Amino acid sequence: MEPVSLQDFVCALDPASLPRVLRVCSGVYFQGSVYEISGNECSLSTGDLIKVTCVRLQKVVCENPGTGQTMELAPNFQGNFSPLTSPRSYGTLEELVSAATQSSKQLPICFMSTHRITTKARVVPQEQPLKLEAVEMHLGTCCACCVMGTGAQQVLLHLPLSQKGPFWELQPGPPRTLLQVLQDPALRDTILTCPALPWRSLTLMPQYEVEAIMHLRRTIVKIPSTLEVDVEDITASSQHIHFMQPLLLSEALARGGPFPLPTEILEVPEGPPIFLSPWLSSLQKGQRLCIYGLASPPWRFLASTKGRKVPRHFMISGAYQGKLRRRPREFPTAYDLLGALQPGQPLRVVATKDCEGDGFENPGFMSLAMGDRLEVLGSGQALGVQERDMDVLVCQRLSDQPGEGEEYEEAEDQEQILLPLHLSGGFVEELGDGRRYSLQDLIAQFSLPCEVKVVAKDASHPADPLPSFLGLRLEEKIMEPFLVVSLDSNPEMCFEVPPRWLDLTVVEAEGQPSQPAGPLPVVPVEELTEAFYYHLRKSPAFESQAPPPRPPKSKDLSGQKKQVSKAKGVKSSEAFQLQKSSLLPKPKRKTFPKVTKDSCNLYGEIPGHKKGLRLTKPITQDTDDEHDYEEILEQFPKTL
């Protein structure tokens, strides 16, 4: 085939013959380094091979041959076209018949008038196709014997040769649609007429979009047919040519196979590493891989080590077969206690540090001491500073020793205390569960985050690092598809690659992939780099977690502390009375023993099983009797 312009090739192309392989004979380079404009290829080099797979009609440019004016038609244009024999029009029927005789044309000939023709028998609409079959005398006048219409609706007309036009000679045949005209090779570059358009004569110039495959181009190349480039069809001699089309791992995942898929790495994405794994260094250009398909199950767990100054972070596959044992969880605030509370699962904790009641901003809050045992009941509302409601955690104080005296306390109305959600205390879970769980059973029964200790490693992973740590915190379940991949040079080394974060560019390789005997030995634990771990923590799955509440501002409390520090001569008892009305709760009468004037033996009268109870203000009677607190406090520094 001789080289032709791309436009001529596409216009003459039969879509049923696709695909076709073309060689670029004269390339074109558009505006320096700009290779693509509006998604279309604008630069082709001489010698490039393209495999045309699809041709789509984009638009049709309609041109008036007389004036050079143009307009665009959509591919779904509904008008009908009739081909003209020439762009010339005739003033009368006699001129039309004379031109046909001089050009040796035989009757019948087809024509139309751009004006309406009125006769005694009928009115002929403008641009109505007519067929002139003969010239004969009719009622003493030389007339053209014409037929209007087709089939059973034909009407015979006698028009005098002196009938004025203008008249246009048409090619035989019925009117055609836009697509019929473009698909007929005989009508290419023919002058047409269309009653729906303002011009009596016009030409059509279709513009196509060519979709093609090029060597080492990852995506389908889109080329406008109007690109000024000459091509040669070499389909017959190109059976041995294989177009290498790059493929992203994400694209291989989206198309779903076929697997196993032998590939070769063309490009590794730039950026910091995401895993601290030995196989990661093997992912280089030229390395052959085998993709076995989607990893199962599709979820992973994000975990961090406990008890280390610098924690390490891991991604654990849902197929991990190690055994785990629950560890007591630690809660730095009351808000964390509320988040860990699950319906139907009692939550009991032990305070790990003292927390005095005079540091709270509501008189209903009680003090806590290290070792106090609490059972978390739920959330509630309490009157906070400036008479505003604030969220609190409702807890129940338990006996000092688990299992001792709790039945007695239930019978005597156990004490409930309120803790502000922003309370920065310190709590550790009271746990008596010594069972060994699989990862799936653990996640099914308990919510995340969860503290665990790996007590038995995964037998399929001899280098399992998790049992060596004192504890792990399972933080989040990640739903993300992974692909199971192995090195072609070492089929026994299988690992899971997340295309979302490690999207390699590969090309399909020839040959049959090697299939390991038995199940694929996939590594179930991958250590994450610190940068990638914090990148995951910023993902939408973690953004849904609400932050803990801020502690409310308290102007009254700060003002009272300043007054106490300035009043150096004020006695300690007066300082207690200054904060009495705003800070200290009024305890239940039945919780405490009856108070007498002799308050020296006050603390000795509290029952032993109420040891965890702390008083947050001096207990006095309604009378104004004197007490000994002032003397004790005044003499206490002297004793020191």
Side-chain angles (χ1 to χ4, degrees):
M1 175 182 176
E2 294 295 326
V4 296
S5 68
L6 181 62
Q7 175 72 16
D8 292 342
F9 173 81
V10 174
C11 290
L13 179 65
D14 180 9
S17 66
L18 294 177
R20 310 294 296 179
V21 179
L22 308 180
R23 177 190 290 118
V24 178
C25 297
S26 61
V28 61
Y29 196 68
F30 184 79
Q31 288 188 359
S33 61
V34 179
Y35 283 87
E36 210 171 293
I37 293 181
S38 300
N40 291 330
E41 189 75 15
C42 295
S43 297
L44 293 174
S45 302
T46 301
D48 281 350
L49 298 180
I50 57 177
K51 185 176 184 179
V52 179
T53 58
C54 181
V55 174
R56 288 190 174 89
L57 179 64
Q58 295 295 100
K59 61 182 178 181
V60 178
V61 177
C62 178
E63 182 180 1
N64 185 338
T67 64
Q69 293 177 304
T70 61
M71 62 186 302
E72 293 184 359
L73 303 180
N76 58 352
F77 178 72
Q78 299 299 318
N80 291 325
F81 296 85
S82 296
L84 302 176
T85 57
S86 70
R88 177 188 173 187
S89 63
Y90 304 91
T92 63
L93 279 178
E94 186 176 3
E95 294 179 8
L96 175 63
V97 173
S98 176
T101 303
Q102 293 178 2
S103 60
S104 302
K105 290 184 180 179
Q106 297 181 355
L107 299 181
I109 60 175
C110 296
F111 70 98
M112 72 170 187
S113 173
T114 56
H115 296 285
R116 185 175 60 176
I117 302 174
T118 303
T119 66
K120 293 181 180 180
R122 178 178 297 273
V123 175
V124 180
Q126 63 178 6
E127 300 181 352
Q128 171 67 46
L130 299 173
K131 182 188 294 185
L132 195 159
E133 295 185 335
V135 177
E136 59 186 18
M137 298 296 294
H138 179 70
L139 299 177
T141 304
C142 186
C143 296
C145 183
C146 302
V147 176
M148 181 178 68
T150 57
Q153 297 182 355
Q154 289 184 352
V155 176
L156 183 63
L157 300 174
H158 287 86
L159 301 178
L161 292 182
S162 60
Q163 179 70 45
K164 294 184 178 181
F167 297 101
W168 300 78
E169 185 180 357
L170 305 176
Q171 292 185 10
R176 299 167 175 84
T177 64
L178 177 61
L179 293 181
Q180 287 174 340
V181 171
L182 298 179
Q183 293 171 0
D184 189 350
L187 297 181
R188 192 174 306 126
D189 300 328
T190 302
I191 299 176
L192 307 169
T193 184
C194 178
L197 297 176
W199 307 321
R200 300 309 170 199
S201 62
L202 52 92
T203 57
L204 299 179
M205 294 177 292
Q207 294 185 9
Y208 297 90
E209 181 183 74
V210 180
E211 293 188 0
I213 298 174
M214 295 187 67
H215 188 61
L216 291 181
R217 295 293 293 269
R218 185 175 57 83
T219 58
I220 296 294
V221 178
K222 297 180 180 180
I223 307 173
S225 63
T226 55
L227 193 64
E228 295 180 359
V229 59
D230 292 340
V231 296
E232 178 185 5
D233 190 345
I234 59 169
T235 304
S237 60
S238 63
Q239 302 301 322
H240 65 285
I241 298 177
H242 176 67
F243 286 83
M244 297 180 63
Q245 187 174 6
L247 181 72
L248 291 174
L249 289 187
S250 56
E251 295 171 344
L253 176 66
R255 75 182 190 182
F259 297 116
L261 179 65
T263 61
E264 181 179 328
I265 298 178
L266 292 181
E267 185 180 358
V268 180
E270 298 181 355
I274 62 174
F275 296 136
L276 297 175
S277 303
W279 54 262
L280 196 64
S281 59
S282 301
L283 302 183
Q284 299 179 0
K285 183 178 180 179
Q287 175 67 53
R288 294 175 66 94
L289 305 175
C290 183
I291 304 175
Y292 292 101
L294 189 65
S296 180
W299 57 81
R300 305 291 182 277
F301 297 96
L302 196 62
S304 298
T305 60
K306 302 287 291 183
R308 298 176 62 93
K309 291 183 179 180
V310 180
R312 295 168 64 180
H313 311 287
F314 296 90
M315 186 175 288
I316 306 175
S317 170
Y320 182 73
Q321 297 299 318
K323 295 298 181 181
L324 306 93
R325 183 175 292 150
R326 293 178 62 202
R327 293 181 71 252
R329 291 174 289 179
E330 297 178 1
F331 307 97
T333 66
Y335 177 80
D336 298 300
L337 287 176
L338 181 60
L341 184 62
Q342 297 294 324
Q345 297 182 7
L347 177 59
R348 293 184 176 184
V349 297
V350 178
T352 58
K353 64 180 181 179
D354 297 338
C355 191
E356 295 298 330
D358 57 1
F360 301 153
E361 300 176 351
N362 185 285
F365 300 146
M366 302 292 289
S367 296
L368 293 177
M370 183 173 62
D372 281 354
R373 298 178 60 243
L374 304 175
E375 181 172 352
V376 182
L377 301 181
S379 62
Q381 292 277 330
L383 196 62
V385 294
Q386 300 178 356
E387 302 298 325
R388 294 181 181 177
D389 289 340
M390 62 182 301
D391 295 327
V392 296
L393 183 70
V394 182
C395 299
Q396 187 169 268
R397 197 189 297 271
L398 304 176
S399 63
D400 286 347
Q401 297 297 327
E404 295 182 5
E406 293 181 4
E407 296 180 358
Y408 177 74
E409 285 187 355
E410 292 179 1
E412 291 192 357
D413 186 16
Q414 290 180 338
E415 177 192 7
Q416 289 188 0
I417 61 174
L418 308 178
L419 301 177
L421 292 184
H422 64 269
L423 171 64
S424 180
F427 306 92
V428 64
E429 184 177 16
E430 197 175 79
L431 192 63
D433 186 3
R435 291 179 53 192
R436 290 154 56 104
Y437 296 89
S438 66
L439 183 59
Q440 293 186 358
D441 292 341
L442 183 73
I443 300 304
Q445 298 183 36
F446 304 100
S447 61
L448 297 178
C450 183
E451 306 284 344
V452 297
K453 173 72 172 73
V454 179
V455 295
K457 68 179 182 180
D458 189 334
S460 65
H461 184 31
D464 185 0
L466 300 184
S468 62
F469 301 113
L470 293 178
L472 286 178
R473 177 181 173 87
L474 301 179
E475 296 172 333
E476 188 70 22
K477 183 177 182 179
I478 300 176
M479 298 294 296
E480 187 67 31
F482 281 60
L483 288 174
V484 179
V485 179
S486 73
L487 301 177
D488 185 70
S489 58
N490 185 10
E492 299 300 327
M493 178 184 287
C494 293
F495 45 90
E496 297 176 346
V497 177
R500 178 180 175 184
W501 300 304
L502 188 58
D503 206 2
L504 302 174
T505 302
V506 300
V507 64
E508 294 187 35
E510 298 179 354
Q512 293 295 327
S514 55
Q515 183 78 21
L520 298 175
V522 180
V523 177
V525 180
E526 298 289 356
E527 185 171 2
L528 309 180
T529 62
E530 187 174 10
F532 181 59
Y533 168 77
Y534 287 109
H535 171 76
L536 288 179
R537 296 295 295 181
K538 293 188 296 183
S539 64
F542 292 95
E543 291 176 358
S544 60
Q545 299 177 1
R550 283 185 174 183
K553 296 181 179 180
S554 175
K555 296 182 179 179
D556 298 338
L557 181 60
S558 60
Q560 291 173 1
K561 290 182 177 180
K562 290 180 181 179
Q563 293 179 10
V564 173
S565 61
K566 290 180 179 180
K568 298 180 179 180
V570 181
K571 296 182 179 180
S572 300
S573 61
E574 294 176 356
F576 275 107
Q577 293 298 329
L578 181 63
Q579 300 179 7
K580 175 179 178 180
S581 60
S582 61
L583 297 178
L584 304 179
K586 194 171 184 179
K588 297 180 181 180
R589 290 295 181 184
K590 63 180 180 179
T591 307
F592 304 102
K594 187 175 180 181
V595 181
T596 62
K597 289 184 179 181
D598 186 6
S599 57
C600 298
N601 298 325
L602 172 64
Y603 298 102
E605 297 179 9
I606 299 177
H609 70 278
K610 295 288 184 175
K611 181 180 178 181
L613 188 61
R614 300 297 191 275
L615 298 184
T616 60
K617 70 174 184 177
I619 302 177
T620 60
Q621 295 180 346
D622 294 337
T623 62
D624 296 334
D625 294 344
E626 297 296 333
H627 50 71
D628 296 333
Y629 290 131
E630 277 188 10
E631 298 178 4
I632 296 175
L633 293 174
E634 290 175 355
Q635 297 175 6
F636 186 74
K638 299 178 181 180
T639 306
L640 295 176

